């Protein structure tokens, strides 16, 4: 029998990859989106799947709307990927972020409990909950220490997800995913900010260096297309659980810049300290990166490194795309877009 899945955050990076994968598995996919003044379906159209998805209006702050979507479809699986997902913005909009990323998840859980308790629920949790990491590497048992309103709101949602499993016997999963990127990453996130800017620099469409904040930060970066497989796997087990998903390797922003620069034919070296630091192509002397202290965060997550042994053992998974391949995939895609004038 055809299974039905609701995906919230369908217009985002992960929404597109997950929808594509579920369609390939024969699912009926319900895309839960919020109405906007401009078209937000660009990623789904680029994936070539927009016409295969049934869309339903869905706003995380509107409980009645959530109840209607759940009672209408009573889905086999519900993937909650919707969120105010930008950590930097969460310092400027802490109340909104907490409502959407924390309370919004409680609305969904409560609606499932009331109207569709058989639905299996996936919550998009995050390595930002580890924040000021209390252990290296971070695993399911590592104590949490979030460093942003985003991380704190997601932690509330994580515990609600756990609590509704323990209290009401719902099948709920919390996927603690470390950073995952792709050519569909939002352009405000550091990886895509770099690849989209470098694509324009490479083609000579602009001259200004890419302005960045803290270059020391280190992240465990994986590929979004790999990670959505795990979201699905988590919902196919005997019971719901919490899993860390990561590559087990960590790289600095500088290393990401260097790797992306290689595809553009640049050999980037870093000169100067703190706000005076620049990234320069050794051969031409061209300045490609500049630090702007305005982009520093009020509290930073300096380093994340995950241990996904549990997912490997229980879900039989290892990440496929490696760091260098990911960097190349992202810059190649942005160069093509910039050439076509769609970046
Ligand atoms: P994304 O590209 O920023 O997408 C976020 C999605 O949420 C968009 O579809 C957005 O819709 C929707 N949304 C935002 N506020 C909403 C609201 N109030 N009501 C309904 N929909 C709303 O995020 P992503 O990278 O795909 O990440 C997916 C999920 O995983 C997020 O929950 C994120 O916090 C979490 N996560 C991401 C990572 C990562 O590295 N990517 C790691 C761990 C966890 P619009 O298009 O209308 O804005
Ligand atoms: O920052 C530093 C910044 O915004 C990464 C989200 O998907 O992953 C993401 O959150 C690092 C930080 O991602 C700039 O200070 C330097 O240390 O790309 P980001 P994030 O904050 O790690 C987690 C797992 C999520 O759950 C989130 O939803 O890069 N950085 N200079 C910069 N970051 C940005 N955005 N822009 C800069 O100019």
């Amino acid at each position: 029998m055809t299974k039905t899945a609701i995906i919230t955050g369908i217009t985002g990076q992960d929404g597109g990859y997950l929808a594509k994968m579920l369609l390939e598995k024969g699912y009926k996919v319900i895309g839960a989106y919020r109405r906007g003044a401009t078209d937000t379906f660009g990623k789904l159209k680029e994936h070539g799947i927009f016409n295969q998805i049934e869309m339903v209006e869905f706003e995380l702050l509107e409980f009645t709307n959530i109840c209607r979507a759940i009672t209408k479809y009573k889905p086999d699986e519900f993937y909650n990927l919707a969120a105010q997902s930008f950590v930097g913005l969460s310092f400027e909009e802490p109340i909104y972020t907490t409502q959407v990323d924390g309370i919004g998840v409680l609305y969904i859980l409560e609606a499932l409990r009331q109207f569709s308790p058989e639905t299996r629920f996936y919550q998009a949790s995050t390595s930002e909950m580890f924040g000021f990491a209390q252990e290296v590497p971070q695993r399911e048992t590592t104590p949490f220490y979030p460093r942003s309103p985003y991380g704190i709101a997601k932690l509330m949602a994580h515990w609600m997800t756990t609590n509704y499993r323990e209290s009401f016997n719902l099948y709920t999963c919390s996927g603690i995913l470390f950073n995952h990127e792709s050519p569909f990453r939002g352009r405000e996130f550091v990886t895509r900010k770099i690849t989209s800017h470098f694509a324009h620099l490479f083609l000579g469409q602009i001259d200004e260096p890419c302005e960045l904040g803290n270059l020391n930060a280190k992240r465990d970066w994986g590929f979004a297309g790999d990670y959505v497989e795990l979201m699905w796997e988590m919902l196919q087990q005997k019971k719901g659980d919490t899993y860390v998903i990561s590559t087990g390797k960590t790289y600095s922003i500088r290393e990401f810049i260097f790797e992306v620069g290689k595809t553009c034919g640049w050999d980037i070296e870093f000169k100067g300290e703190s706000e005076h630091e620049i990234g320069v192509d050794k051969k031409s002397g061209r300045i490609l990166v500049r630090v702007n202290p305005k982009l520093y965060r009020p509290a930073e997550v300096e380093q994340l490194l995950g241990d996904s042994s549990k997912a490997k053992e229980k879900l039989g998974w290892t990440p496929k795309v490696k760091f260098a391949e990911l960097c190349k995939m992202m810059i190649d895609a942005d160069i093509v877009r910039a050439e076509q004038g769609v970046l």
Side-chain angles (χ1 to χ4, degrees):
M1 211 176 69
T2 305
K3 278 190 174 179
T4 302
I6 292 185
I7 304 175
T8 74
I10 189 82
T11 55
Q13 170 186 255
D14 292 4
Y17 281 106
L18 179 63
K20 193 161 191 281
M21 190 199 71
L22 292 181
L23 286 167
E24 282 163 8
K25 288 185 188 295
Y27 275 66
K28 175 177 176 179
V29 174
I30 312 299
Y33 77 105
R34 55 178 175 169
R35 200 199 75 83
T38 50
D39 185 355
T40 55
F41 301 133
K43 294 186 178 72
L44 297 175
K45 289 176 185 165
E46 218 177 315
H47 276 295
I49 55 171
F50 181 58
N51 293 333
Q52 299 168 57
I53 299 170
E54 182 173 330
M55 303 302 274
V56 61
E57 284 196 6
F58 185 96
E59 164 56 60
L60 266 174
L61 298 181
E62 180 58 59
F63 184 57
T64 63
N65 179 209
I66 294 172
C67 292
R68 271 192 298 280
I70 286 172
T71 42
K72 179 173 177 189
Y73 294 104
K74 290 204 176 0
D76 297 287
E77 294 168 15
F78 189 114
Y79 297 86
N80 180 41
L81 309 185
Q84 190 304 88
S85 72
F86 188 39
V87 173
L89 182 69
S90 79
F91 289 100
E92 295 305 316
E93 298 185 1
I95 297 169
Y96 173 76
T97 302
T98 303
Q99 284 168 339
V100 172
D101 297 4
I103 302 290
V105 182
L106 179 54
Y107 287 162
I108 298 173
L109 287 165
E110 197 46 36
L112 289 174
R113 174 188 168 197
Q114 294 292 332
F115 304 117
S116 191
E118 297 305 316
T119 298
R120 295 185 168 204
F121 175 73
Y122 173 84
Q123 167 58 15
S125 293
T126 166
S127 50
E128 283 293 302
M129 301 186 317
F130 295 123
F132 182 46
Q134 301 295 293
E135 177 178 39
V136 182
Q138 296 87 52
R139 48 180 74 88
E140 291 79 5
T141 49
T142 301
F144 297 114
Y145 194 140
R147 293 271 281 172
S148 65
Y150 168 80
I152 295 164
K154 283 282 189 177
L155 189 50
M156 174 192 164
H158 164 74
W159 282 123
M160 282 295 175
T161 301
T162 307
N163 184 260
Y164 270 59
R165 179 167 69 239
E166 293 174 355
S167 305
F168 305 117
N169 208 23
L170 298 188
Y171 187 118
T172 67
C173 286
S174 179
I176 306 182
L177 270 53
F178 281 59
N179 296 52
H180 45 281
E181 319 292 312
S182 75
F184 292 98
R185 187 57 142 151
R187 286 177 64 178
E188 65 274 38
F189 299 96
V190 74
T191 53
R192 186 78 201 294
K193 182 174 173 182
I194 293 163
T195 58
S196 58
H197 198 101
F198 275 23
H200 287 305
L201 283 174
F202 173 71
L203 294 172
Q205 295 172 340
I206 56 170
D207 277 331
E208 313 78 50
C210 182
E211 289 200 347
L212 297 170
N214 176 19
L215 303 184
N216 297 319
K218 294 179 94 173
R219 289 291 182 273
D220 181 330
W221 278 301
F223 171 51
D226 280 352
Y227 283 24
V228 295
E229 288 177 25
L230 269 295
M231 297 177 187
W232 177 79
E233 281 289 353
M234 283 181 215
L235 296 197
Q236 314 310 314
Q237 305 305 306
K238 283 211 177 82
K239 57 187 182 69
D241 206 340
T242 295
Y243 299 90
V244 160
I245 306 297
S246 62
T247 69
K249 297 224 161 23
T250 189
Y251 298 91
S252 69
I253 312 291
R254 271 185 214 88
E255 286 170 293
F256 185 88
I257 293 168
F258 180 78
E259 194 61 42
V260 169
K262 281 203 306 202
T263 297
C264 301
W266 301 321
D267 183 5
I268 301 179
E269 63 176 346
F270 292 88
K271 295 179 174 175
E273 303 252 311
S274 319
E275 66 265 36
H276 303 297
E277 184 167 354
I278 51 173
V280 184
D281 174 30
K282 266 192 207 167
K283 287 170 260 172
S284 63
R286 188 177 182 194
I287 300 176
L288 301 160
V289 170
R290 195 183 286 290
V291 168
N292 182 346
K294 284 190 187 146
L295 295 167
Y296 292 161
R297 291 180 179 170
E300 180 62 285
V301 171
E302 290 294 349
Q303 176 169 352
L304 290 171
L305 175 65
D307 173 1
S308 50
S309 309
K310 179 176 168 181
K312 278 177 194 143
E313 190 199 322
K314 304 221 161 167
L315 308 176
W317 175 81
T318 41
K320 294 187 200 96
V321 175
K322 303 274 187 302
F323 178 69
E325 202 183 327
L326 178 65
C327 294
K328 184 155 170 40
M329 183 200 304
M330 291 180 73
I331 182 66
D332 281 348
D334 275 340
I335 289 173
V336 171
R337 287 178 178 133
E339 277 168 339
Q340 293 171 348
V342 292
L343 182 64

